Amino acid sequence: MKPSKTENAVTSTLKATTKYAFVAPGAIGKGRESLPISSFQELPYDQLMQELDVTNVHELEDFLINECMYVGIVRGKLDQLKRCFEVLFAAGRDLRPGQLGNMLQTLTDWLTTSDNLLISILEKIKWADTMSESDKKHRKEVEERVDKVKKSLSSKGLKSFSYKSR
């Protein structure tokens, strides 16, 4: 039997969209690496079962509900009468071909910015430590001068005054 135009369109659409597929958490290693989604609204159960290497409808529906819908990757309706999954929303998770270079550049730029920010923060911490040490030295010098003046005044018989440090 020759496939109908609709079946050919579905097959070609599904094959064309596999390069834009996403991976459901927990699906790797189970023979369910990708679930093809595109602007295509209804995905036939038979095609999904074949693409995902699932043997029965119950297993397919469990997979769609537990590992796709509950996780928030897709929103849709399971239509058992039409034997299809009606996609209302699909979150893309993988890079499209050609986007890897941009992603690497973005991450490299982020790493450079983070390194520069870290260097700036470390320089500010070093400056703050230096200023704190300088302030401590200055405070100690002032207290020593005050003590010297007090001793000088007491040796001359003058009344001493009190100095309150901060």
Side-chain angles (χ1 to χ4, degrees):
M1 179 180 215
K2 189 176 179 182
S4 69
K5 288 183 181 180
T6 308
E7 286 175 312
N8 282 337
V10 168
T11 302
S12 65
T13 302
L14 287 172
K15 286 182 180 175
T17 58
T18 55
K19 63 183 175 185
Y20 302 108
F22 62 84
V23 178
I28 295 176
K30 295 183 182 176
R32 301 172 180 166
E33 285 79 18
S34 62
L35 177 64
I37 303 290
S38 70
S39 59
F40 193 79
Q41 294 289 319
E42 291 182 354
L43 300 171
Y45 278 7
D46 293 334
Q47 192 69 39
L48 288 172
M49 288 176 14
Q50 181 183 358
E51 293 285 332
L52 298 172
D53 194 28
V54 176
T55 56
N56 61 50
V57 172
H58 180 71
E59 190 178 347
L60 174 66
E61 289 176 344
D62 283 349
F63 172 73
L64 290 171
I65 292 168
N66 297 327
E67 298 194 38
C68 298
M69 294 171 75
Y70 282 163
V71 177
I73 296 171
V74 294
R75 278 188 298 235
K77 297 177 184 176
L78 300 171
D79 190 336
Q80 292 178 337
L81 294 176
K82 288 171 136 182
R83 291 183 48 89
C84 68
F85 177 60
E86 187 179 325
V87 179
L88 303 175
F89 166 81
R93 293 170 35 121
D94 289 341
L95 296 175
R96 291 189 175 114
Q99 288 183 321
L100 183 60
N102 283 344
M103 181 60 73
L104 287 174
Q105 185 60 48
T106 300
L107 291 172
T108 302
D109 293 346
W110 176 82
L111 180 61
T112 302
T113 301
S114 298
D115 287 343
N116 291 338
L117 182 60
L118 181 61
I119 290 168
S120 176
I121 290 170
L122 291 174
E123 287 173 352
K124 290 185 188 301
I125 290 171
K126 187 177 178 181
W127 175 83
D129 288 344
T130 302
M131 294 306 292
S132 176
E133 287 299 316
S134 175
D135 187 51
K136 286 178 186 176
K137 274 185 184 176
H138 179 69
R139 188 179 308 254
K140 187 175 180 179
E141 288 172 2
V142 168
E143 287 175 359
E144 287 173 358
R145 284 187 202 159
V146 168
D147 287 342
K148 212 184 243 186
V149 170
K150 281 183 182 179
K151 286 180 185 175
S152 170
L153 290 175
S154 67
S155 68
K156 292 183 181 179
L158 297 173
K159 268 189 170 174
S160 69
F161 62 96
S162 68
Y163 169 78
K164 295 180 182 176
S165 64
R166 298 187 255 175

